């Protein structure tokens, strides 16, 4: 097969889309297939794959995102981002046809690009890493959230892309259900959970520290991830001997929440190496409003941590077995579950061991094989 990938990301960069694109390209190459990849930039090159980077233009989306984060929180950076990528991809579209592609895999809602690929007779796989914008709009209206992007342009982009796609890859049943709510045909949707690297074995007998419990969150420290709600849950004297680690980029909007609380120390280590850092913590907490299937949850589970996560995190944890699933925005239940782990250290260890075993079911080879199966499905 010759598969053409169009990835509005940095291929190979630690994160979500970049890592997955690289894993698939390497799996294609290892299977004797050839392909094409147009992206912002490629940190690694697989054999048998022709790469096209955007050069200096590939840095523009990062600048747009930084402008949104630090200067204009309401700025719709996604619209110019997508339009720039579509323009560049269409400019070099002929390169993808050096050989006749069997399938086009598009990693963002790019309706003009997808229409061009469709007119060339290519079946299209569309990756949907997070829940649709329509979901953001619904919960924004329900809960009065002003931190979620709900621009009409992205609603239009996504709905056109859903219509053009032959198969849509959803990373969790949560995202699949939201696609169905958008009117996407069930026959188009394929749920393919992410993979996770398994770290070196850690002690299955992780003990609660005598001087308190280490709760940890990994991701952007902002309101979309629910970290303001986590601070609200932490504001309780029952946590005064514990530590809350908020790992990742701290958004300016969040500074006002970092005030004195009745809870214990709040640690802000910035960016971390998850497999090194998480093994020194006990409980992973991820109260996000909106995800597809959070990579950080997979990594925490692989390290043997029980997890408290929301339904909208698209989590693979089993409620009451590997941790607990709660509703987004429910501060009371979030605090209750955190306190339960404090009061039940042996059960926390048991749940962590179960989470570690569960994580082993989600290998990268499983992920890439299921994507390749979708390609074969479309090519007969």
């Amino acid at each position: 097969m010759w598969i053409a990938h169009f990835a509005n990301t940095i291929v190979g960069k630690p994160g979500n889309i970049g890592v997955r694109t690289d894993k698939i390209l390497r799996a294609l190459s290892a299977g004797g297939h050839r392909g094409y990849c147009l992206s912002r930039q490629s940190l690694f090159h697989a054999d048998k794959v022709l790469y096209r980077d955007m050069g200096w233009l590939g840095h523009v989306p990062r600048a747009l995102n930084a402008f949104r984060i630090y200067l204009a929180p309401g700025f719709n950076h996604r619209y110019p981002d997508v339009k720039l990528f579509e323009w560049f991809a269409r400019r070099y579209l002929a390169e993808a046809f050096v050989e006749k592609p069997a399938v086009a895999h598009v990693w963002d809602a790019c309706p003009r690009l997808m229409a061009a690929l469709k007119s060339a007779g290519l079946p299209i796989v569309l990756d949907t890493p997070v829940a649709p914008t329509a979901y953001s709009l619904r919960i924004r209206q329900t809960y009065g959230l002003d931190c979620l992007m709900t621009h009409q342009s992205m609603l239009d982009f996504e709905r056109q892309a859903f219509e053009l796609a032959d198969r849509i890859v959803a990373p969790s049943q949560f995202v699949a259900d939201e696609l169905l709510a958008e009117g996407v045909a069930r026959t188009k949707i394929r749920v393919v959970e992410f993979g996770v690297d398994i770290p070196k074995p850690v002690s299955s007998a992780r003990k609660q520290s005598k001087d308190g419990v280490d709760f940890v969150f990994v991701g952007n420290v902002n309101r979309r991830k629910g970290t303001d709600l986590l601070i609200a849950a932490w504001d309780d004297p029952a946590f005064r001997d514990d530590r809350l680690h908020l790992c990742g980029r701290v958004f300016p909007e969040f500074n006002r929440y970092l005030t004195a609380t009745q809870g214990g120390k709040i640690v802000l280590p910035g960016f971390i190496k998850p497999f090194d850092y998480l093994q020194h913590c006990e409980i992973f907490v991820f109260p996000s409003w909106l995800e597809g299937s959070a990579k950080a949850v997979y990594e925490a589970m692989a390290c043997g941590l029980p997890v408290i996560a929301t339904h909208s995190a698209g989590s693979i944890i089993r409620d009451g077995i590997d941790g607990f699933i709660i509703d987004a925005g429910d501060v009371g239940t979030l605090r209750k579950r955190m306190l339960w782990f404090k009061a039940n250290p042996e059960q926390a260890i048991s749940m962590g061991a179960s989470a570690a075993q569960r994580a082993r079911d989600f290998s990268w080879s499983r992920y890439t094989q299921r994507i390749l199966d979708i390609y074969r499905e479309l090519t007969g």
Side-chain angles (χ1 to χ4, degrees):
M1 291 186 291
W2 171 273
I3 308 296
H5 285 256
F6 299 88
N8 187 11
T9 189
I10 299 176
V11 175
K13 180 182 177 182
N16 189 316
I17 297 174
V19 166
R20 292 188 289 120
T21 308
D22 184 58
K23 297 285 188 184
I24 293 170
L25 292 171
R26 290 176 183 274
L28 280 169
S29 181
H33 304 293
R34 292 174 53 77
Y36 174 78
C37 179
L38 183 145
S39 66
R40 297 181 196 171
Q41 183 183 353
S42 297
L43 300 182
F44 308 106
H45 285 188
D47 295 336
K48 303 182 179 71
V49 177
L50 174 64
Y51 289 85
R52 164 64 66 180
D53 291 354
M54 293 178 67
W56 67 269
L57 288 174
H59 298 287
V60 172
R62 297 181 67 184
L64 292 171
N65 192 36
F67 180 76
R68 174 186 67 89
I69 293 172
Y70 297 106
L71 297 175
F75 173 60
N76 179 11
H77 73 294
R78 295 287 294 123
Y79 181 82
D81 178 357
V82 170
K83 298 299 286 186
L84 174 64
F85 182 76
E86 283 191 316
W87 170 82
F88 188 89
R90 295 178 71 208
R91 181 182 180 189
Y92 287 95
L93 194 58
E95 284 187 346
F97 291 84
V98 172
E99 296 182 29
K100 175 62 176 176
V103 175
H105 192 149
V106 182
W107 292 82
D108 205 345
C110 299
R112 292 190 67 193
L113 170 61
M114 293 173 68
L117 293 167
K118 201 76 173 177
S119 66
L122 288 185
I124 297 174
V125 175
L126 174 65
D127 193 86
T128 54
V130 298
T133 300
Y135 170 79
S136 299
L137 179 61
R138 187 171 75 250
I139 63 172
R140 176 172 180 158
Q141 293 171 340
T142 301
Y143 296 98
L145 297 172
D146 60 359
C147 59
L148 301 179
M149 293 189 63
T150 55
H151 300 284
Q152 184 63 45
S153 62
M154 297 316 301
L155 279 168
D156 295 340
F157 279 180
E158 289 177 355
R159 286 167 176 168
Q160 293 172 50
F162 297 157
E163 182 67 27
L164 289 164
D166 295 281
R167 295 292 184 272
I168 301 176
V169 178
S172 63
Q173 190 58 49
F174 160 66
V175 173
D177 290 342
E178 292 304 322
L179 289 169
L180 290 170
E182 269 286 89
V184 175
R186 189 180 298 273
T187 53
K188 283 189 176 186
I189 302 170
R190 300 291 182 271
V191 176
V192 183
E193 297 88 351
F194 301 154
V196 63
D197 295 314
I198 303 300
K200 294 179 181 179
V202 297
S203 171
S204 60
R206 178 188 279 110
K207 300 292 185 181
Q208 177 176 317
S209 302
K210 292 182 179 179
D211 59 345
V213 178
D214 285 279
F215 295 88
V216 61
F217 163 92
V218 178
N220 285 327
V221 182
N222 61 17
R223 292 175 62 206
R224 188 197 123 180
K225 298 287 186 178
T227 44
D228 57 324
L229 305 176
L230 180 52
I231 293 292
W234 186 251
D235 190 12
D236 190 304
F239 297 113
R240 63 180 176 273
D241 296 325
D242 306 315
R243 291 158 298 280
L244 175 61
H245 302 251
L246 302 177
C247 307
R249 176 194 288 136
V250 178
F251 278 45
E253 67 185 49
F254 194 75
N255 289 328
R256 67 178 182 270
Y257 298 102
L258 293 174
T259 56
T261 72
Q262 297 183 76
K265 182 179 180 181
I266 297 175
V267 183
L268 299 170
F271 293 102
I272 60 163
K273 293 182 178 179
F275 292 143
D276 293 338
Y277 199 96
L278 291 174
Q279 295 186 34
H280 300 286
C281 299
E282 279 94 33
I283 312 297
F284 189 80
V285 189
F286 199 81
S288 181
W289 286 100
L290 169 65
E291 301 295 326
S293 190
K295 179 178 72 73
V297 171
Y298 289 76
E299 293 170 341
M301 294 174 69
C303 288
L305 271 66
V307 177
I308 303 170
T310 55
H311 291 279
S312 48
S315 176
I316 59 170
I317 75 168
R318 296 162 295 184
D319 187 44
I321 300 174
D322 313 308
F324 295 111
I325 298 290
I326 65 173
D327 291 331
D330 189 346
V331 173
T333 300
L334 175 58
R335 180 186 292 118
K336 178 181 177 181
R337 291 308 189 190
M338 293 171 71
L339 290 172
W340 186 91
F341 278 122
K342 271 182 60 67
N344 298 275
E346 294 303 321
Q347 287 93 326
I349 293 170
S350 176
M351 281 188 173
S354 177
Q357 188 60 43
R358 170 75 165 163
R360 282 159 174 74
D361 294 337
F362 297 91
S363 66
W364 281 117
S365 61
R366 172 186 181 273
Y367 170 78
T368 55
Q369 185 58 52
R370 294 182 71 180
I371 296 295
L372 266 59
D373 286 345
I374 295 173
Y375 298 160
R376 296 187 185 100
E377 178 185 335
L378 288 172
T379 59

